[in-house]
Amino acid sequence: MPLQTQIARWLEHLIVSGSLRAGDRLPAEVTLVERLGVSRVTVRLAMDELVSRGLVSRAHGKGSFVSPAVVRHDILSEQGFFDILLTKAPRPEVRLIAFESAVPPPKVANLFRLAPGTHAVKLDRLYLSAGRPIVLAANWLTPDAASLVPADIESMSTAAVHSVLLRHPIASSTSAIGAELAGATVARCLGVGARSAVLVLTRTRFDAQGQAREHNRFTVDPSSYEFTFTTKGDVSLAAELRAVAA
């Protein structure tokens, strides 16, 4: 393995393990040259690799710093937020904020075909990456989810809850992505400034009979979480976006 790759992997391990955290300044190139007994070119190539992968950023005249960890979510993927976090975030964590029976907003009641005043299940989670809050999830589930207890859902995605515990697998969903300014609750949960720009993904999931089973609102810190999608071959953007709504 080339020396620059070995150095890059060593520094990457320090970042992923938390020994070096977002915003920390990396040792100067001359320090690494002296410490590791390699050329400055080798060190620079290692740093270039980390910069190209988004793990490190350079500030002219100040040095190199650990970049905030960014989780990339392919919106064409079948994985949801829960699974994306567990597979792609460094030191992932999911905190249960609320799990209770409550009367949903009129829009959600209409989606679930509920009579006025009927209770549904409110499920709120905070997703963290390397100790940093990145996504606030506000979920509504159909009334049958009231049979569950927190232990049932603390380590499962809502898709798995529907399929494994409630026995009505999700067959389709509709989604929309927008942007807004963070309110007081979102700012406090995500640790961002009040009225900071955040991304919002709203999603409704349906079973095979077309019954809405959950409605979600994911508020995302765009400095730590971003949405992507990749096309293959000569596929139009319109076709790809239609797939997102499927």
Side-chain angles (χ1 to χ4, degrees), residues 47-70:
M47 299 296 286
D48 287 345
E49 179 180 335
L50 296 175
V51 170
S52 68
R53 293 171 54 198
L55 293 172
V56 170
S57 58
R58 289 189 173 106
H60 184 68
K62 296 182 179 180
S64 299
F65 297 84
V66 178
S67 301
V70 177

Side-chain angles (χ1 to χ4, degrees), residues 74-238:
D74 185 348
I75 58 176
L76 301 183
S77 167
E78 294 182 358
Q79 289 183 305
F81 279 85
F82 190 93
D83 296 324
I84 290 285
L85 181 83
L86 292 184
T87 57
K88 296 190 175 182
R91 293 188 286 121
E93 181 183 351
V94 180
R95 293 180 186 171
L96 186 62
I97 298 176
F99 183 65
E100 60 190 6
S101 177
V103 176
K107 176 183 177 180
V108 176
N110 290 335
L111 285 170
F112 290 169
R113 304 173 191 168
L114 300 178
T118 302
H119 282 220
V121 174
K122 180 177 175 60
L123 168 61
D124 293 349
R125 288 167 160 164
L126 184 64
Y127 297 165
L128 299 92
S129 172
R132 179 180 180 181
I134 58 174
V135 179
L136 177 63
N139 310 298
W140 284 96
L141 309 181
T142 44
D144 56 332
S147 62
L148 305 176
V149 297
D152 291 329
I153 51 86
E154 285 181 331
S155 60
M156 299 178 71
S157 67
T158 53
V161 168
H162 289 297
S163 178
V164 177
L165 301 180
L166 300 178
R167 305 295 183 183
H168 43 61
I170 298 301
S172 63
S173 64
T174 59
S175 303
I177 299 175
E180 61 184 45
L181 300 179
T185 299
V186 168
R188 182 179 67 255
C189 290
L190 292 182
V192 299
R195 299 188 64 78
S196 296
V198 292
L199 294 175
V200 177
L201 183 144
T202 55
R203 181 184 67 195
T204 304
R205 282 174 159 171
F206 304 85
D207 63 20
Q209 287 70 47
Q211 168 65 45
R213 289 295 178 179
E214 67 174 87
H215 181 71
N216 319 119
R217 176 183 170 88
F218 300 97
T219 306
V220 174
D221 177 358
S223 70
S224 304
Y225 201 103
E226 64 183 32
F227 298 107
T228 66
F229 68 90
T230 304
T231 61
K232 296 181 179 179
D234 187 18
V235 180
S236 70
L237 177 61

